[in-house]
Amino acid sequence: MTMPAEESGETPLRRRPTQRRSARRVERMLDACADLLDEVGYDALSTTRIAERAGVAIGSIYQFFPDKRAIAQAVTRRHVEEFVSRIGRRFISEEYGGWWDAVDAIIDEYVEMHRTVPGFRSMHFGDVVDLNLLDAVSDNHAVIAGRLRGLLLQEYGFTDSEDLDLAVLIAVEAGDAVLKLAFRRDPNGAPEIVSEAKRLIRGYLSRQLVGASA
């Protein structure tokens, strides 16, 4: 499996901030980008708008990022890290009857971030902009599936295999498509479609993962 870009050493940053003040400035740029994505969309996004919203000079933007795509890429990676961290915290703090309840929790976290995290509903995991936004080789859903697969392996002891890789990837693709439909129907996510997404993914994985657990 291809390693996610942040683990392979690739980064959208021209250079990493080495001082706390610089790091805070970069975070303001990412926050501004996320807000603007929701307000004006990616096509109307510009480095000038991001600089104005963040309260920094345009030169500060180019000190760390070559263009708006790189900033959007960094925002999307931040979404991924937050998504995986939230799921990890839930896995630690909550008790599940089985992997199917864990899958429901993953979907619930996706829906909650879609509702509350700036920029998330506009970018999801970057597929609107670039299918390889997170990794130059693997598409975005493959990167996300790899992260979620790792959590399921760690927590539920499934046997690592190519069949498991494919099953989780298909579940991520299908779930993302249905959940996007839920948010097209209702800005907060049509609950009946969210429920169907859970049923679809649980049913599919139940059929695919028989015998895959240790």
Side-chain angles (χ1 to χ4, degrees):
M1 173 168 291
T2 302
M3 190 162 38
E6 64 269 27
E7 294 177 7
S8 66
E10 298 176 18
T11 174
L13 285 166
R14 274 183 160 157
R15 70 180 183 85
R16 294 185 180 276
T18 56
Q19 298 179 343
R20 184 178 302 174
R21 183 174 61 182
S22 296
R24 286 198 298 265
R25 191 160 68 245
V26 168
E27 285 301 307
R28 289 206 309 274
M29 296 173 196
L30 299 184
D31 291 342
C33 179
D35 289 338
L36 287 166
L37 283 165
D38 286 344
E39 293 173 20
V40 304
Y42 182 77
D43 289 342
L45 187 69
S46 68
T47 53
T48 299
R49 276 183 156 170
I50 294 169
E52 290 174 351
R53 178 62 63 90
V56 301
I58 190 67
S60 292
I61 295 282
Y62 292 119
Q63 186 178 11
F64 294 101
F65 298 100
D67 50 33
K68 74 172 187 178
R69 181 186 179 279
I71 306 173
Q73 184 180 22
V75 169
T76 303
R77 289 186 179 186
R78 190 169 68 169
H79 288 161
V80 172
E81 293 304 322
E82 182 174 355
F83 181 60
V84 173
S85 294
R86 286 186 180 204
I87 292 169
R89 288 194 296 270
R90 290 185 74 146
F91 277 26
I92 290 172
S93 64
E94 299 175 1
E95 292 291 333
Y96 301 122
W99 64 262
W100 47 89
D101 290 332
V103 167
D104 281 359
I106 290 169
I107 293 173
D108 288 340
E109 202 59 70
Y110 180 99
V111 169
E112 179 63 18
M113 286 187 67
H114 205 296
R115 290 170 176 161
T116 62
V117 175
F120 190 85
R121 69 174 181 265
S122 300
M123 295 290 287
H124 298 279
F125 293 126
D127 52 293
V128 174
V129 179
D130 186 342
L131 283 173
N132 294 94
L133 193 60
L134 299 175
D135 187 289
V137 179
S138 296
D139 68 37
N140 301 330
H141 284 151
V143 175
I144 300 303
R147 295 294 192 89
L148 300 183
R149 165 186 159 279
L151 286 172
L152 292 173
L153 284 170
Q154 181 179 351
E155 295 293 328
Y156 294 101
F158 287 106
T159 302
D160 197 3
S161 68
E162 291 184 2
D163 288 343
L164 178 63
D165 286 354
L166 182 61
V168 175
L169 177 58
I170 290 172
V172 168
E173 291 275 2
D176 185 60
V178 177
L179 289 169
K180 284 175 182 173
L181 173 62
F183 282 95
R184 287 200 302 272
R185 289 285 182 90
D186 180 337
N188 288 315
E192 68 278 10
I193 298 179
V194 172
S195 295
E196 282 301 300
K198 291 179 179 181
R199 190 172 71 85
L200 182 152
I201 293 171
R202 286 169 63 162
Y204 170 74
L205 287 177
S206 292
R207 294 189 296 274
Q208 298 302 313
L209 300 183
V210 171
S213 58

